Amino acid sequence: MPLDLFSVGDPIADTKAPTDVPIGERWSERRFRGRLVNPANRRKMTVIVVGTGLAGGSAAATLGEAGYQVKSFWYQDSPRRAHSVAAQGGINAAKNYRNDGDSVHRLFYDTVKGGDFRARENNVHRLAEVSVNIIDQAVAQGVPFAREYGGLLDNRSFGGTQVSRTFYARGQTGQQLLYGAYQALERQMAAGNVEQFARTEMLDLIIVDGRARGIVARDLVTGELSTHYADAVVLATGGYGNVFYLSTNAKGSNTTAIWRAHKRGAYFANPCYTQIHPTCIPVHGEYQSKLTLMSESLRNDGRVWVPKERGDTRDARQIPEDERDYFLERRYPAFGNLVPRDIASRAAKTACDEGRGVGPGGLGVYLDFAEAIQRLGRKAVEAKYGNLFDMYAQITGEDPYATPMRIYPAVHYTMGGLWVDYDLQSTIPGMFVIGEANFSDHGANRLGASALMQGLADGYFVLPSTITEYLADGPFPKVDDSHPAAQEAVQGVTAQIDQLLSIQGTRSVASFHRELGQLMWDHCGMERTDEGLRKAIDRIQELRQEFWTNVKVLGTWGSFNQNLEQAGRVADFIELAELMCIDALHRRESCGGHFRAESQTPEGEALRDDENFAYVAAWEWTPQGTAPVLHREDLNYEYVHLAQRSYK
């Protein structure tokens, strides 16, 4: 690896988890050892929470109810528009309602294994412990989980498990859970404990005496810049999948908040760990702006297949059973269609690369419900998946009850994010990162239905318990606009906006984003190679130079200007994309969603290199023109032994 691409700094370690007790006691022990803030002092302290998805909304509501003065920021018109609303399939919890052998330890084991042994044991075990509380919290809020005939909560299975631990509300689980968090948040707003800032985007972090003390934000309606100060800052702004341009994320989802924090000193961990979801509606046009997810829950009853012969273009219903290849069931008989997402995605790609793909361009495989409809009846299938089938029919014009769905992998989630310790605090004191915005729980591949679990675990239970250790030293000295750090941050944001508007080049913002996305999909997507990553890095560097000399941003900054919003976000995506490729290039192994073609088993599975790469890669920002600095956090496994993943 050329040293000019990055340099190696000192190792980093999480010192907050109490490793002197068994793993099953560490979370309760951490809560006991952590310092508290008494109720009278909480009223004197302010916490900024950026983002109102499941993590941010639940955190703001819980901190408000605890008595802190909370400032809540979101760029949509309502907290209910956060991208968490789009989650479909369900939320995991180790309740063992089906009496099928589930337990906290099994959820812990499945998550570590599913992440291909690249996650911290301590964090994952805590997540599994807290999962059981989340369901009780949601039910108490009135979340309408599906129930069996007798009234008990129902469960279904998701990928990478052999038990049924996923609670769901048809195909709208994220929406219902978000409404529960939103209700709690609105209650605290009405009580005066949470101050709301709608249609407001964070553009920089204000650091005073080495601590995160506030943010610079822009009103997206008026264009006005403002500063906001607090004793601690919490980022809950989601993932960065839109670096690929086409993804299942909402179009507004972006990396700006965490990237600007990274440039202020927060380490960025494992940026190359991105998840490709196997069941998405295939791309259907050159100017398509986003992709649509088809829930993983569909693989409970849907069977994935392609024709056995290349170039078979017959209607799916005309292909006999003995001429179909149910390739997931064939290759992974123990888990069948419910293998983890990274494995299912690569298997679908392999089938299409062999010339057996279906639909336009051969970029699709079938997800077939004929057997389920015959076994259960149409009404039963409709009761489980009706809204998902309706969505598919509206988008494609095809009836999935009559003909198999066509699906293909697409970017869905990012396991990488800002580095945090066991307390969810970043390398910047006073800045905490929760939900998909951090890296902590999923390793190199997230299991299905675990994103909602992590978001609510962080927001309702973990952050409110750990932030007290930091705030016990507060309240901190007041900061206002006269402070040099605040003035410098505002000036930096102003200068960037002025620069973007002054270039007046010939290329649109969208054209840069589209080219970047295709470059990342081709070279840092489902399969990565040394040659391809180097090619991508070279082109990204050229693209960044061209962006800052030839982009054309319309309008002015003192008004509603979505073109300007996108320009700032794409500028951040370009810088992030380079770091993603450097991270992928330096990690000369395959693990989970990071698949290096040079590192695979004879069967084409991901081949890890535990001797050299069993660590978290935490990257430190350096000024442009100098290489980022890699800090390694060694991963130690006491309770789940390192092994080659097998789902056969």
Side-chain angles (χ1 to χ4, degrees), residues 7 12 21 32 56 81 118 164 192 220 228 267 274 308 310 317 330 359 379 419 477 479 497 612 632 642:
S7 61
I12 190 171
V21 298
F32 175 73
R81 296 288 296 277
R118 289 295 178 262
S164 295
L220 297 182
H228 305 268
Y267 291 1
T274 55
K308 288 184 177 179
R310 292 183 176 186
R317 293 164 292 187
R330 170 176 56 82
K379 286 187 176 180
W419 185 93
V479 179
I497 293 174
N612 294 303
R632 297 188 179 100
L642 288 166

Side-chain angles (χ1 to χ4, degrees), residues 319-395:
I319 300 177
E321 279 290 317
D322 61 356
E323 296 181 31
R324 300 179 178 187
D325 179 15
Y326 294 92
F327 57 89
L328 292 179
E329 298 173 25
R330 170 176 56 82
R331 293 178 59 178
Y332 309 101
F335 284 74
N337 294 295
L338 285 173
V339 291
R341 292 172 176 178
D342 59 316
I343 291 176
S345 293
R346 282 197 297 274
K349 180 181 184 298
T350 298
C352 293
D353 289 347
E354 292 170 350
R356 298 188 294 140
V358 301
L363 294 178
V365 300
Y366 289 126
L367 182 60
D368 196 336
F369 290 86
E371 186 272 337
I373 292 172
Q374 183 179 24
R375 172 170 48 89
L376 301 172
R378 172 167 172 154
K379 286 187 176 180
V381 172
E382 190 172 346
K384 284 185 175 182
Y385 311 116
N387 65 308
L388 298 172
F389 277 45
D390 290 346
M391 183 166 61
Y392 181 87
Q394 289 172 12
I395 292 173

Side-chain angles (χ1 to χ4, degrees), residues 564-640:
L564 177 59
E565 293 171 34
Q566 290 301 318
R569 295 168 187 171
V570 171
D572 294 330
F573 278 137
I574 292 173
E575 292 177 349
L576 169 62
E578 183 177 1
L579 182 62
M580 290 172 64
C581 291
I582 291 172
D583 187 39
L585 184 61
H586 111 277
R587 190 172 283 278
R588 298 185 301 276
E589 65 161 355
S590 293
C591 55
H594 169 64
F595 188 78
R596 285 287 296 267
E598 304 93 338
S599 181
Q600 54 183 302
T601 67
E603 295 81 21
E605 305 292 350
L607 180 62
R608 296 195 321 271
D609 180 355
D610 295 331
E611 183 177 349
N612 294 303
F613 293 101
Y615 62 77
V616 175
W619 295 91
E620 179 184 359
W621 168 265
T622 53
Q624 277 194 9
T626 57
V629 180
L630 169 64
H631 301 271
R632 297 188 179 100
E633 178 198 341
D634 290 336
L635 292 169
N636 301 305
Y637 292 94
E638 303 174 76
Y639 296 88
V640 178

Side-chain angles (χ1 to χ4, degrees), residues 428-451:
I428 300 174
M431 192 187 83
F432 295 78
V433 190
I434 60 178
E436 191 179 352
N438 75 31
F439 88 102
S440 66
D441 292 343
H442 305 296
N445 174 66
R446 177 177 67 76
L447 292 183
S450 289

